[in-house]
Each structure stands twice: as structure tokens, then as C-alpha cells.
Amino acid sequence: MSAATILPHSFMRPPQPNRDLCSAKIGTKQFVRTNYGCGCVAVLDFERTVWDKTLGETLGGTPDALILEGTWWRERASKARLGYLTSVRELPFPDMFVGDFDGARIAYCCAYGAPRAVEPAHVFTQLGTPLLIQIGTCGVMDRKIGAGTIAVPRKAVARDGISRHYGAGSSVAFSAQWADRAEKVLQGLGIKSENTNHLTWPSLFAQSDAMCAGWAVEGLQTVDMEASAVAAVASRFGQSCIALLSAWDALSEGQTFLDPLPAKHQEALRRADKATFEVALQLAKEVSGRVT
């Protein structure tokens, strides 16, 4: 893979599209807000033209896929992932990057937690990016799922706190077509995967033993902090989404991220982590029609 050359954006803040003041009345109070040229005042009601005007020149065309990664180690993850790409540049919105991989245009953002992950998901799906791929790690409530297994769920229970604002109900669906394809590619790499009963929860810390036990009783097997919210955004804007999540914390056995893994499990997790991104790139090539 080639080293990334990141071209810094030339502004401290995003360029401002046609900003006319407009007013909105809430109760007895009158508020003056900014109208971004689309007849609305709130981001959830923006039209695509807002993002086209804000990002158009820097973006250089709609990406074939957006790869989102939920991790604390943003700098390390971004450096490793962007190293696969060429012509990498950061967009006016910080930590959102675009680059090229073997003819496919890739957007990448390291976004931890549902509230942050929905931001790039919203922008790129509304711009027409056809596939969103959530990668990262997940906790496990089923002891049969070992470290380094990649969870590829077909649906997720949406308790992330954000999904409902994008029209989701108690659960969301991932693209079965792309999930099936991802598992086939993983199989070819010799990486174990499983279609798990998945949960997205809003916090890594706000999880008690009783909660984890309750999730297991519900039949839930894996848990993360972003996937269902990203899928809800994709669904709202008519695009596809999958999740490729490497099993890490064995919550059913009282293991957390603070507990060291045996060397064998650590190596399995490392291989899975690498595979999730490489499979995501392969799917992006297939979206673009540039499969070799």
C-alpha cells in the first residue's frame, strides 16, 4: 500500500453557502436563523444542494463508499486506513477524508459513538454515496463467539438514542445483499464471520453486568455503539449499509477492554481488524464497477 499524502483544506471553517437570514417562531419567541439556500433552517431538513455547495470542489465527485470506524484511537486508525489510499485530502469538515483505491473513490471517517457517526453518514448518503460500511469492534454476550470473529449482522436492535430521529423503529436492517457478499470475501480470506443478533447501545461505560445478562437473555449476541444509527441514516436517504465488527470484549465472561487478551486471541483480533477494512475496500470497488 502507498503512503497517503494528505492535502490540508484551506479554511478554518467550512465555506458558507448562500446564507440569508430567516425567522422561525417557537411558542411566543421569534428566532432569527440562517437559511442555507434550501428554504429550511435545520440540518435534518437540508437538501442535498447544501452539501454540494459546501463540499463540491473539495469532494471531487460522489464517493462509491463511506467507511466509518468507531474507535478511541482516532489518530492511529486514520493513519493506517488512509495509508491504503492515494490522493487523500481532508474535507472542510474535520476528520472526514476522501481518497482513491484502485479506481474507486473512498470516503473515510473515524467517528466514535452514534451521535458523531451519523454526521458523516448523513452528509454522504444525502450526497448519494450508495454504500456505508461501519467497521470497528464489538462486545460479545455469546461465549461461542471468539475474539477475532467478525460480526456481520443483517439487523440490529436500535437503542442508540439517535436512530428514531431518522425514522427507525425498534430495529433497523442492513443490506442482506452486501452482507452476504462481505461474508463470502471474508471466507476467502480465511476469516471467521457470523450473522449475529446485534444491539447498538449509546455508551461503552453505561453497561452493567445486569444489562449484559439481560441482553443475553433477549438472545442478543453482539453490541456496538454506532451501527444501527448509521443504518438508520442510510435507510432515510435510500442507500445501503452493512457492519463488519470484530469481536473483542467477552462481556458474557466479565471481560472488558481493560483485560489483556491471550496472544492467540490478540493475533486473531489484529487479523480481523485488518480484514474489515480490506473487505470494505473490495466492496467499494464492486460498487464502482472496477473489480479486477
Side-chain angles (χ1 to χ4, degrees), residues 1-40:
M1 58 186 173
S2 59
T5 302
I6 301 175
L7 307 178
H9 53 72
S10 58
F11 359 73
M12 292 300 292
R13 52 189 304 228
Q16 303 299 299
N18 180 26
R19 299 194 347 161
D20 302 316
L21 292 180
C22 63
S23 63
K25 189 173 184 180
I26 302 177
T28 59
K29 296 183 178 180
Q30 191 78 15
F31 293 86
V32 177
R33 299 285 300 279
T34 301
N35 183 334
Y36 286 85
C38 64
C40 57

Side-chain angles (χ1 to χ4, degrees), residues 121-133:
H122 186 128
V123 170
F124 285 102
T125 51
Q126 196 166 18
L127 280 169
T129 295
L131 180 61
L132 272 58
I133 306 169

Side-chain angles (χ1 to χ4, degrees), residues 17-292:
N18 180 26
R19 299 194 347 161
D20 302 316
L21 292 180
C22 63
S23 63
K25 189 173 184 180
I26 302 177
T28 59
K29 296 183 178 180
Q30 191 78 15
F31 293 86
V32 177
R33 299 285 300 279
T34 301
N35 183 334
Y36 286 85
C38 64
C40 57
V41 295
V43 175
L44 194 59
D45 298 318
F46 277 3
E47 296 176 358
R48 172 179 174 164
T49 53
V50 173
W51 311 124
D52 284 329
K53 291 176 181 178
T54 306
L55 301 176
E57 292 184 5
T58 311
L59 192 61
T62 301
D64 298 298
L66 166 64
I67 304 173
L68 290 160
E69 184 163 14
T71 178
W72 278 355
W73 294 279
R74 176 183 57 80
E75 184 176 357
R76 184 174 70 187
S78 296
K79 182 178 180 180
R81 306 313 192 187
L82 296 176
Y84 282 80
L85 310 181
T86 59
S87 302
V88 176
R89 53 201 177 277
E90 186 174 17
L91 299 179
F93 300 154
D95 291 328
M96 296 188 198
F97 299 89
V98 291
D100 299 319
F101 179 78
D102 202 9
R105 175 151 295 167
I106 310 295
Y108 172 81
C109 180
C110 189
Y112 183 73
R116 171 58 173 149
V118 298
E119 295 171 355
H122 186 128
V123 170
F124 285 102
T125 51
Q126 196 166 18
L127 280 169
T129 295
L131 180 61
L132 272 58
I133 306 169
Q134 177 68 51
I135 66 174
T137 58
C138 61
V140 178
M141 285 81 73
D142 184 342
R143 63 184 60 194
K144 296 178 182 177
I145 300 174
T149 299
I150 297 180
V152 191
R154 299 325 191 256
K155 64 179 180 179
V157 174
R159 298 177 189 164
D160 54 79
I162 304 293
S163 294
R164 63 188 181 90
H165 299 297
Y166 284 88
S170 60
S171 65
V172 296
F174 298 102
S175 168
Q177 174 189 350
W178 285 111
D180 289 347
R181 177 59 185 151
E183 287 210 272
K184 186 174 182 179
V185 178
L186 287 168
Q187 183 180 15
L189 295 173
I191 302 291
K192 185 177 180 180
S193 64
E194 187 160 340
N195 173 9
T196 62
N197 295 323
H198 190 72
L199 164 69
T200 299
W201 186 252
S203 173
L204 176 66
F205 281 34
Q207 299 176 11
S208 67
D209 289 342
M211 287 178 182
C212 294
W215 296 337
V217 170
E218 288 184 68
L220 298 171
Q221 297 170 291
T222 50
V223 57
D224 87 313
M225 293 172 49
E226 298 91 13
S228 66
V230 173
V233 176
S235 177
R236 178 184 176 95
F237 294 111
Q239 312 299 351
S240 298
C241 176
I242 65 168
L244 305 174
L245 305 169
S246 305
W248 183 358
D249 317 73
L251 302 176
S252 59
E253 300 176 16
Q255 181 191 69
T256 72
F257 66 91
L258 295 174
D259 297 307
L261 291 173
K264 180 180 179 180
H265 292 173
Q266 185 65 47
E267 175 59 18
L269 184 60
R270 185 198 67 77
R271 290 183 65 236
D273 176 75
K274 184 172 183 286
T276 57
F277 191 72
E278 292 181 350
V279 170
L281 292 176
Q282 172 65 21
L283 298 185
K285 286 174 56 179
E286 295 181 16
V287 169
S288 74
R290 295 179 175 88
V291 180
T292 57

